[in-house]
Amino acid sequence: KANTGPQGPTVNFTLDLAIAANAALQNVGGYIYSNGVIIARISSADLGFDAVAQTCTHQGCTIAYDAGSVTFVCPCHAGTYNLNGDVISGPPPNPVKKYAVSRSKNILTIKG
């Protein structure tokens, strides 16, 4: 199986934490999907967010964030990724792309 590096779209977008659609990000463990990226609230810190591509590199299922293990998990075949998008268990052949997250007041910017 060829490792072709992290997989995911190239993005540059913002999210307003104050709007209802993004309310899940107000709480640690919450996550949302936007522009092919999963954005998770991993801690209560101001910059306690992490973002990786939402599509598993194994068979293209949509991954979710697991707050208990602080990992991204694919529900289809239990592929597991760490916060950097690296595969830590399961069948995925490649990591998922990690994105830079910055914050200015209620606006998150996701780039990569």
Side-chain angles (χ1 to χ4, degrees):
K1 60 186 189 184
N3 186 330
T4 56
Q7 307 291 300
T10 299
V11 300
N12 184 351
F13 64 93
T14 59
L15 295 171
D16 185 342
L17 296 175
I19 66 171
N22 300 327
L25 294 177
Q26 299 288 1
N27 302 307
V28 174
Y31 62 91
I32 64 167
Y33 301 101
S34 183
N35 298 285
V37 177
I38 178 172
I39 303 97
R41 185 75 186 255
I42 56 169
S43 80
S44 58
D46 223 29
L47 274 173
F49 299 89
D50 199 77
V52 299
Q54 75 182 45
T55 304
C56 183
T57 60
H58 178 228
Q59 290 187 340
C61 295
T62 298
I63 61 176
Y65 176 66
D66 178 53
S69 60
V70 194
T71 57
F72 293 99
V73 179
C74 180
C76 295
H77 304 99
T80 307
Y81 302 88
N82 66 17
L83 295 181
N84 288 322
D86 299 319
V87 178
I88 50 178
S89 69
N94 297 298
V96 287
K97 186 172 177 180
K98 179 176 172 69
Y99 299 93
V101 180
S102 56
R103 181 177 185 177
S104 176
K105 296 193 172 106
N106 278 332
I107 305 298
L108 284 187
T109 301
I110 292 88
K111 286 185 188 174

